[in-house]
Amino acid sequence: MAQTTAEKIFASHLRDEPFPGTKVLSLDRVLCHEITTPVAIADLEARGKDRVFDPTKIKAVIDHVTPAKDSKTALQAKMLRDWARRHEIKDFFDVGRNGVCHALFPEKGYIRPGFTAIMGDSHTCTHGAFGAFAAGVGTTDLEVGILKGVCAFREPKTIRINLTGQLQSGVYAKDVILFVIGQLGVNGATDRVLEFHGPVVDAMSMDARMTLCNMAIEAGGTCGICQPDMVTVDYLWPFIADDFASKQAALEDYRQWCADADATYEKVLNFDVSTLEPQVTYGYKPDCVKPAKDLSGSRVDQVYIGTCTNGRIEDLRQAAEVLKGRKIADSLRGIVSPATPKIFQQALDEGLIKIFMDAGFCVTNPTCGACLGMSNGVLAEGEVCASTSNRNFNGRMGKGGMVHLMSPSTAAATAITGVITDARTL
């Protein structure tokens, strides 16, 4: 029987089906950070079950508030730190070695085609870019994952998204996924997998594919999935070279996870993005999307470039290309946060950090802090932020603040003019 990528992964990882349609899967990775995991740790301790199923399959990082901003966040970090030491979890990334989880873990080669992964974080769907099934879960599921290495799911139906045509210069993966969410709506993919196909996806780097999959949750999706190909193999090669005789051999192996040509989908959506323009959100839902030109002139108080959506090296290059030789407007502040230490170092080596600083940006350490309004860029009531993040709910980056989501290029152009601006008009 022909299968989608998710169906293949479910079939290969199935451990039990206690109820019709509820499938218990074995897990290849349990990912942890200091905001949601301490709750699971404390409950496991209270139940006398302070154990881990396999310390080599658990990856942990302090990333949401780093360094700690107060006693509470310091305690959260300490709980994760002590737990990782207690259970000899070697892949624990403390302050100084840490980065935004959904950039750091792929960068370390922890996610492979065909893998299953969970995390107490809604944007775990990012890792589906590798042809994996990765989902955000609640505390109870996270506890079970830590303790037993399994997680129960209702097997999701899959929506196939075919992206055809060729992106115009100055239009990026962020614009594509904002457009798709605008078409689907915030509930359009609830409990579904979004499987991305087409020449536009094939031409994307892994950085861009992670941006695409990262925001599947904003349409309600459980996971976004791209098909593993040679782009995937090239990205993972430093980590898998000893496992395969050649890149071609790796590709042949990974192709087993690609959807069958005659797989059945709940629906198939076709989008020719040849004429797509830079996109920007308005209002307080990710599906409130318009071309940037339609919001041209809207004022902002802060520009933020970073996060698990757009804090990778490719994103910083796009923003720096716009900013080079220019200054940001006196009416706003600019903040950039490279997503990992490796990305930060690469940006230094390429001269990107100098471009940002010369333009007037504040450059911070890798952190999620501003995205969820906890640190390093929180908005005041009534302030507006142009952000490369993934969520624009009311108060998301600070109580009473508003967020416009956009690509790094559009964010950089907006920083220069002080109002929402399509970078192609500069």
Side-chain angles (χ1 to χ4, degrees), residues 314-371:
E314 185 176 283
D315 304 310
L316 302 187
R317 288 170 181 157
Q318 291 165 10
E321 183 180 358
V322 176
L323 290 167
K324 189 172 184 179
R326 295 182 167 116
K327 299 285 186 182
I328 67 173
D330 292 337
S331 59
L332 56 70
R333 56 197 182 271
I335 302 170
V336 59
S337 179
T340 70
K342 179 181 178 180
I343 294 167
F344 198 120
Q345 185 62 61
Q346 192 170 352
L348 274 172
D349 294 343
E350 294 183 15
L352 307 183
I353 297 298
K354 178 174 171 51
I355 291 173
F356 282 110
M357 294 187 70
D358 287 349
F361 268 76
C362 167
V363 182
T364 82
N365 60 291
T367 176
C368 306
C371 177

Side-chain angles (χ1 to χ4, degrees), residues 104-166:
L104 181 71
F105 294 147
E107 181 185 277
K108 296 291 183 180
Y110 295 153
I111 307 298
R112 312 283 172 84
F115 270 22
T116 53
I118 64 167
M119 187 176 197
D121 188 285
S122 58
H123 293 104
T124 307
C125 52
T126 306
H127 306 282
F130 291 85
F133 177 80
V137 298
T139 301
T140 302
D141 285 330
L142 182 61
E143 286 184 46
V144 173
I146 289 169
L147 184 65
K148 296 292 186 180
V150 297
C151 191
F153 295 95
R154 293 190 66 80
E155 185 165 3
K157 292 181 170 62
T158 298
I159 298 173
R160 178 173 174 137
I161 308 289
N162 292 324
L163 299 172
T164 60
Q166 185 173 354

Side-chain angles (χ1 to χ4, degrees), residues 223-247:
C223 184
I225 291 180
C226 294
Q227 304 297 282
D229 59 8
M230 191 55 78
V231 174
T232 318
V233 172
D234 286 339
Y235 185 97
L236 291 173
W237 191 245
F239 311 101
I240 64 173
D242 292 337
D243 299 332
F244 297 99
S246 65
K247 288 185 177 181

Side-chain angles (χ1 to χ4, degrees), residues 163 167-183 200 204 208 211-212 215 271 273 275-281 286 289-293 309-310 315 318 387-389 405-411 421-424:
L163 299 172
L167 293 177
Q168 299 181 49
S169 176
V171 180
Y172 302 98
K174 182 62 163 290
D175 302 305
V176 173
I177 192 58
L178 286 175
F179 170 77
V180 170
I181 294 167
Q183 298 300 305
V200 173
M204 286 182 176
T211 296
L212 206 62
M215 292 190 68
F271 299 114
V273 294
T275 60
L276 186 68
E277 300 179 24
Q279 304 287 296
V280 174
T281 62
V289 181
K290 292 181 178 180
K293 67 181 182 184
T309 315
N310 285 124
D315 304 310
Q318 291 165 10
S387 177
T388 66
S389 54
L405 305 177
M406 59 188 67
S407 73
S409 179
T410 305
T421 303
D422 183 337
R424 302 177 305 173

Side-chain angles (χ1 to χ4, degrees), residues 42-104:
D43 193 56
L44 287 169
E45 289 176 342
R47 294 172 182 270
K49 298 181 183 297
D50 183 23
R51 304 186 296 276
V52 301
F53 80 105
D54 185 341
T56 67
K57 293 184 178 181
I58 296 175
K59 316 297 178 182
V61 65
I62 294 170
D63 67 349
H64 274 57
V65 184
T66 172
K69 66 174 183 176
D70 53 25
S71 297
K72 181 179 179 180
T73 53
L75 177 60
Q76 288 176 302
K78 184 178 187 301
M79 289 180 69
L80 187 68
R81 185 181 296 120
D82 291 348
W83 174 75
R85 289 171 178 166
R86 188 161 68 245
H87 296 293
E88 298 184 342
I89 296 169
K90 302 300 183 185
D91 295 319
F92 167 64
F93 299 90
D94 209 335
V95 178
R97 298 186 300 117
N98 56 340
V100 176
C101 55
H102 304 310
L104 181 71

Side-chain angles (χ1 to χ4, degrees), residues 2 18 27 64 77 81 126 165 178 193 201 205 222 229 253 278 308 320 323 352 392 401 413 415:
L27 297 173
H64 274 57
R81 185 181 296 120
T126 306
L178 286 175
V193 167
V201 183
S205 66
T222 302
D229 59 8
D253 182 71
C308 61
L323 290 167
L352 307 183
N392 61 333

